[in-house]
Amino acid sequence: MAKKAPRRDVGDEALHVGSPKQWAAGVPGVAHSLEISYAQMGVKRTFLTLAQVNQKNGFDCPGCAWPEGDHRSFAEFCENGAKAVAEEATLRRVTREFFAEHPVSELAGRTDYWLGQQGRLTEPMFKAAGSDHYVPVSWDDAFSLIADELRGLDSPDEALFYTSGRTSNEAAYVYQLLVRRFGTNNLPDCSNMCHESSGSALTETLGIGKGTVLLDDLYKSDLIFVVGQNPGTNHPRMLSALEKAKKNGARVIAVNPLPEAGLMRFKNPQRPAGVVGNGTQMADRFLQIRINGDLALFQALSQRLLEADDAAPGTVIDRRFVEQHTHGFDDWEKHIRDLDWGDVEEATGLSRAEIDDTVEEVLGAKSIIVCWAMGLTQHKNSVPTIREVVNFLLLRGNVGRPGAGVCPVRGHSNVQGDRTMGIYEKPPAAFLDALRAEFGFEPPREHGHDVVDSIRALRDGEAKVFFAMGGNFVSATPDTEVTEAALRKARLTVQVSTKLNRSHAVCGEQALILPTLGRTERDGDRFVTVEDSMGMVHASRGRLRPASPDLLPEVAIVCRLARKLFGQDDIPWERFEADYDAIRDSIERVVPGFDDFNARVRRPGGFVLPNAPRDERRFATVTGKANFTVNELRVLRVPEGRLLLQTLRSHDQYNTTIYGLDDRYRGVHKGRRVVFVNPDDLARLGIADGETVDLISEWPDGERTAEGFRVIAYATARGCCAAYYPETNVLVPLDSVADTSNTPTSKSIVVRLARRVMSVSE
Ligand SMILES: Nc1nc2c(c(=O)[nH]1)N[C@H]1C(S)=C(S)[C@@H](COP(=O)(O)OP(=O)(O)OC[C@H]3O[C@@H](n4cnc5c(=O)[nH]c(N)nc54)[C@H](O)[C@@H]3O)O[C@H]1N2
Ligand SMILES: Nc1nc2c(c(=O)[nH]1)N[C@H]1C(S)=C(S)[C@@H](COP(=O)(O)OP(=O)(O)OC[C@H]3O[C@@H](n4cnc5c(=O)[nH]c(N)nc54)[C@H](O)[C@@H]3O)O[C@H]1N2
Ligand SMILES: [Mo]
């Protein structure tokens, strides 16, 4: 069966391709974000709002999870943070009249961009079975409907409760409580598609599913690897931190198939000197790796380090650390010494000289940090790859001391906090025990469904109710057609959302839209808390008037639904809704590390969660030590005439929210259906820059096609290509996932480019 993505894109007729930029941020960045902000919310509101971002008494930027520094400048945000804020603080509104005018079937044919541009949701809406329209519904009726459907299920496991990573700690905590009180661990979250591979690998090897460095470590480090990450677009404030690290003497090595603008040069918009002038050269070394070559690269680096230690025994390997704190070194060493260099060169596309020069840098560095994001986590072998990064660091004792460690750079602004609060389909027994002790009910022990398994359960009719706390499940997940059909089979889908998106249009038989407050908006006199990528917990207080008087905060939505669902209950839902301090007191008793939560989070800047590997070189693994692991190098060989495709973000998008149709740094304007290919590959394939092609992936169950992409000759690594997500999600089958973490393989898909014969109508 051939699966094709329906063409929903507009505006590509105007597509224009210029030359890519060598540097990121600076004047065009600020000007561009202000343009988007003015259009969404006018000049006055723009300045009032942006002045609050990431200030100590303001709200946490809904952009990314990069931590705030201690010394905040007046405008502690970046171009893309400003766009995320503008998207939420927009003055545009989606009203009941809008839904009367636009049937669901029509909305399903619109692009993610068009849907997002319609503005903020304003009141609860309901689509009845068989109807093609959403109509207004009262909050009370909405909760009754959900409670009735949930109670009518044969088993609590027939319901799925998704979370996207913007949800606050308080909302996440009461949400997982409701779900477990109801009786299931079906808590899939965006992490399953994001850093799950990091969590799996780090828990096994270091005993914690998070990073082990603080901002200060970056400033003390000698050498920072930035692997599989595009911070210029996705974590712009990280560039300021790297700039400061470099001032203190650090060197930066970028490992990426693409020469991303921010990694090459950076002009800091926070400083006058950054706005003019040439900016800072970011990467001292750029390893243009082939997609999926990172496991081989880190094995090669480690092998060279072992050899260097042979030549000068005791000078390279941190023997004391290895002996005292690690397990499995001998087996790993034996395995690495057998490394096949032919395989390394084929997998990485790098020369031996490039690797040797990198080893020289490693030998000269007393402390090393490896940062990474989606370029490492979304492959079949992602977990082994990240384990190999850990091996490389352990060898020289680069964990648990200043300036050294692992730094998975998280995506959504509170995705890490949500996991800490128990949003996890495989909760540890200790967490469930603590919940039982706190609330006196027996939480379910059986593991629940993650994202991919949730889609299978819907597809196979095993799940019937789908509830989403934020996000855009339909557009974020792989195998678009399979997933859309699966969601449409649900008896009820419920979306708690700020903005209109595709998951409202591709919905169950019955569907509810529950509009909620965003980060920027006032929630009475209450504040919420979030945890950033480095385990700092701090308060976030919205200041803007809510987009509509009919919005409820996420906490209230959960607590009111719980009261309908459970009736008389021992859990104080009403109190939780009114008083977030009461929620935080409960978190303090259930989640380790939150002692004196209410007092400490009120201190400016908040507090840092304990981190055993970082703080005491203690590793809570099965062996009680940090584990060296043996990982097979299997070169991902691409058949003749095919390329390895990665799906990534443009500069003008936040995941499935499309801010605009430009990708300025890569020279793309007014369109998104483009594929970046190395010119040598184009010559080999006989395809010219500017031609239109279909992207086709071939699988045992048939081909999948994403139609109509303009080819751009681009300096990506040979044999590789890149196109934007979510347009390309159709190419990844549900079963193509990372081993262990079950994360869709969005970064390594074998595709063929098929030249398109334009029909007259196009
Ligand atoms: N403005 C903005 N900010 C965001 C987001 C957004 O959409 N917009 N999304 C947020 C979220 S949820 C997340 S998870 C993060 C995502 O942050 P990133 O991970 O930076 O996002 P991607 O665009 O997926 O970029 C992947 C990068 O990895 C590289 N890469 C791909 N494959 C490989 C490989 O095999 N090896 C190596 N070494 N590199 C590879 C790509 O060339 C690209 O530079 O950003 C967060 N912040
Ligand atoms: N092919 C491919 N697929 C991918 C990826 C990839 O790189 N390639 N990346 C994956 C990654 S890393 C991630 S994290 C997922 C993202 O998956 P999701 O988190 O599900 O998607 P988002 O686009 O971030 O969700 C946007 C929607 O969230 C809602 N929203 C925004 N703020 C709030 C809020 O404060 N509260 C509530 N309740 N709702 C809010 C808005 O309605 C908005 O439409 O996608 C994954 N999918
Ligand atoms: Mo993410």
Side-chain angles (χ1 to χ4, degrees):
M1 179 186 48
K3 298 189 171 61
K4 284 188 179 182
R7 276 219 54 180
R8 296 189 291 264
D9 244 32
V10 289
D12 274 357
E13 303 76 52
L15 178 72
H16 156 68
V17 179
S19 53
K21 299 282 174 289
Q22 294 300 311
W23 44 267
V27 170
V30 175
H32 181 62
S33 68
L34 289 179
E35 219 172 85
I36 288 190
S37 303
Y38 292 162
Q40 295 278 354
M41 55 183 175
V43 175
K44 187 170 163 216
R45 191 169 161 96
T46 295
F47 280 99
L48 286 176
T49 308
L50 294 182
Q52 298 278 338
V53 186
N54 290 344
Q55 296 305 305
K56 288 188 174 165
N57 58 355
F59 57 85
D60 181 62
C61 179
C64 71
W66 188 257
E68 285 87 44
D70 242 6
H71 305 285
R72 299 177 193 196
S73 45
F74 170 70
E76 187 58 44
F77 60 91
C78 62
E79 175 195 353
N80 277 349
K83 287 191 238 166
V85 167
E87 194 73 19
E88 182 174 300
T90 178
L91 293 171
R92 299 178 190 160
R93 296 290 178 267
V94 174
T95 58
R96 57 175 70 185
E97 290 77 25
F98 172 90
F99 284 109
E101 226 172 275
H102 300 278
V104 179
S105 52
E106 181 217 306
L107 295 177
R110 299 286 187 173
T111 61
D112 290 290
Y113 176 55
W114 188 91
L115 292 167
Q117 289 297 305
Q118 303 312 305
R120 287 288 299 274
L121 297 159
T122 49
E123 62 179 323
M125 301 297 296
F126 174 59
K127 185 196 90 66
S131 165
D132 196 23
H133 276 277
Y134 278 100
V135 295
V137 62
S138 72
W139 278 104
D140 201 59
D141 287 348
F143 293 132
S144 295
L145 187 102
I146 304 168
D148 286 346
E149 285 293 338
L150 288 175
R151 273 195 299 259
L153 295 173
D154 289 338
S155 148
D157 292 330
E158 290 183 348
L160 305 164
F161 298 88
Y162 176 69
T163 314
S164 165
R166 282 212 188 158
T167 296
S168 66
N169 289 333
E170 290 73 11
Y173 183 75
V174 292
Y175 182 51
Q176 62 81 31
L177 180 60
L178 175 143
V179 172
R180 297 202 162 101
R181 172 77 182 78
F182 176 60
T184 180
N185 282 314
N186 284 343
L187 282 158
D189 74 338
C190 68
S191 225
N192 300 147
M193 300 178 270
C194 185
H195 266 293
E196 199 66 61
S197 303
S198 309
S200 301
L202 295 176
T203 303
E204 180 189 348
T205 56
L206 299 179
I208 192 163
K210 310 177 180 184
T212 68
V213 300
L214 294 170
L215 263 186
D216 211 43
D217 289 307
L218 283 175
Y219 304 149
K220 289 184 179 138
S221 190
D222 285 346
L223 180 61
I224 301 168
F225 282 85
V226 181
V227 189
Q229 205 199 332
N230 178 22
T233 286
N234 298 313
H235 305 90
R237 285 177 301 119
M238 179 178 177
L239 297 182
S240 311
L242 288 177
E243 189 185 39
K244 185 164 168 190
K246 290 187 63 124
K247 256 210 199 87
N248 294 347
R251 290 185 52 91
V252 172
I253 299 183
V255 184
N256 203 304
L258 291 170
E260 304 283 32
L263 292 171
M264 300 296 126
R265 275 196 172 285
F266 170 54
K267 298 186 185 184
N268 191 337
Q270 309 279 340
R271 288 185 295 102
V275 173
V276 290
N278 291 325
T280 311
Q281 183 183 339
M282 265 301 152
D284 299 287
R285 182 176 298 281
F286 172 45
L287 296 177
Q288 187 161 37
I289 199 164
R290 188 173 162 262
I291 288 176
N292 201 247
D294 305 86
L295 187 151
L297 171 65
F298 283 95
Q299 290 195 335
L301 293 174
S302 293
Q303 202 231 40
R304 284 287 194 249
L305 292 174
L306 290 172
E307 286 174 4
D309 198 72
D310 294 343
T315 61
V316 177
I317 301 173
D318 185 343
R319 291 278 173 196
R320 246 179 66 134
F321 175 80
V322 169
E323 270 152 39
Q324 276 183 8
H325 295 291
T326 72
H327 175 271
F329 177 77
D330 294 345
D331 286 347
W332 173 75
E333 181 188 15
K334 220 165 105 227
H335 180 73
I336 291 297
R337 285 194 187 271
D338 279 348
L339 189 64
D340 180 329
W341 275 78
D343 282 354
V344 170
E345 280 166 282
E346 191 184 352
T348 61
L350 300 170
S351 69
R352 219 177 253 237
E354 284 176 289
I355 293 177
D356 284 344
D357 289 350
T358 308
V359 170
E360 286 307 312
E361 299 224 25
V362 172
L363 286 170
K366 291 207 183 64
S367 50
I368 302 180
I369 290 174
V370 181
C371 304
W372 71 87
M374 296 305 100
L376 281 202
T377 64
Q378 299 175 332
H379 304 273
K380 177 157 170 44
N381 61 351
S382 281
V383 176
T385 299
I386 295 163
R387 287 200 293 234
E388 211 53 68
V389 170
V390 173
N391 291 334
F392 165 78
L393 289 170
L394 291 178
L395 186 60
R396 304 196 75 206
N398 275 309
V399 176
R401 61 181 169 77
V406 291
C407 182
V409 180
R410 308 297 297 245
H412 267 302
S413 53
N414 198 40
V415 62
Q416 186 158 316
D418 290 346
R419 193 48 75 81
T420 306
M421 292 299 118
I423 302 292
Y424 191 20
E425 74 283 357
K426 302 190 210 56
F431 178 81
L432 298 178
D433 293 344
L435 266 193
R436 180 180 56 193
E438 170 78 356
F439 295 106
F441 74 95
E442 188 54 60
R445 299 275 160 172
E446 204 176 311
H447 288 173
H449 292 315
D450 62 10
V451 162
V452 166
D453 286 340
S454 292
I455 298 167
R456 291 194 182 116
L458 287 164
R459 177 195 64 193
D460 301 340
E462 285 158 17
K464 301 189 171 75
V465 174
F466 177 85
F467 187 107
M469 185 56 82
N472 181 4
F473 192 84
V474 161
S475 288
T477 47
D479 224 351
T480 311
E481 290 186 36
V482 173
T483 300
E484 293 194 351
L487 260 296
R488 287 192 159 114
K489 278 176 76 173
R491 272 194 54 71
L492 171 67
T493 53
V494 184
Q495 301 286 339
V496 180
S497 313
T498 52
K499 307 264 317 237
L500 188 68
N501 66 45
R502 190 158 175 79
S503 299
H504 304 122
V506 180
C507 55
E509 266 174 65
Q510 308 170 85
L512 278 164
I513 300 175
L514 305 182
T516 192
L517 295 181
R519 212 40 91 63
T520 53
E521 288 163 320
R522 222 168 23 232
D523 179 4
D525 57 359
R526 290 173 286 262
F527 68 90
V528 293
T529 64
V530 293
E531 173 186 344
D532 68 32
S533 196
M534 294 182 176
M536 298 287 303
V537 178
H538 61 92
S540 173
R541 193 187 284 276
R543 303 275 177 181
L544 293 182
R545 185 184 323 138
S548 144
D550 295 326
L551 306 185
L552 282 180
E554 290 178 348
V555 171
I557 291 173
V558 172
C559 293
R560 290 186 194 189
L561 173 59
R563 285 165 63 199
K564 274 272 189 278
L565 186 59
F566 307 128
Q568 197 57 25
D569 196 37
D570 289 341
I571 299 173
W573 299 108
E574 212 170 336
R575 172 126 190 269
F576 282 165
E577 178 182 338
D579 179 9
Y580 296 178
D581 278 1
I583 302 177
R584 285 186 282 268
D585 285 339
S586 179
I587 292 172
E588 176 175 342
R589 290 186 292 269
V590 169
V591 188
F594 284 82
D595 313 78
D596 216 4
F597 189 5
N598 269 306
R600 285 199 297 159
V601 83
R602 283 178 162 84
R603 288 184 205 147
F607 62 94
V608 59
L609 287 173
N611 185 302
R614 183 193 65 213
D615 304 339
E616 2 166 3
R617 285 195 156 177
R618 198 163 52 73
F619 303 97
T621 62
V622 178
T623 61
K625 302 251 169 123
N627 290 317
F628 278 93
T629 53
V630 172
N631 306 292
E632 279 323 310
L633 166 55
R634 292 197 188 88
V635 183
L636 209 175
R637 295 200 168 84
V638 176
E640 189 45 41
R642 310 293 187 273
L643 296 170
L644 210 44
L645 171 79
Q646 59 150 324
T647 65
L648 78 184
R649 293 152 174 80
S650 83
H651 194 62
D652 270 3
Q653 79 183 79
Y654 194 92
N655 297 338
T656 71
T657 300
I658 312 301
Y659 303 134
L661 299 174
D662 295 348
D663 191 4
R664 199 174 76 247
Y665 294 162
R666 299 191 184 110
V668 178
H669 303 279
K670 300 200 166 91
R672 291 178 48 84
R673 290 189 92 84
V674 295
V675 56
F676 302 94
V677 191
N678 182 298
D680 294 346
D681 288 320
L682 286 180
R684 185 168 55 87
L685 296 171
I687 293 175
D689 176 273
E691 280 197 73
T692 302
V693 295
D694 291 344
L695 306 178
I696 301 171
S697 64
E698 300 144 315
W699 305 93
D701 67 344
E703 294 188 337
R704 284 164 173 75
T705 306
E707 292 183 325
F709 286 74
R710 192 238 201 234
V711 172
I712 300 179
Y714 201 86
T716 184
R718 277 216 198 163
C720 303
C721 62
Y724 303 130
Y725 121 82
E727 287 83 348
T728 42
N729 291 26
V730 66
L731 297 170
V732 188
L734 212 47
D735 293 336
S736 179
V737 291
D739 298 334
T740 312
S741 65
N742 220 24
T743 296
T745 57
S746 313
K747 290 289 188 283
S748 44
I749 312 154
V750 176
V751 293
R752 111 179 162 248
L753 272 43
R755 187 181 286 108
R756 214 174 146 74
V757 187
M758 292 297 218
S759 67
V760 180
S761 66
E762 279 173 302

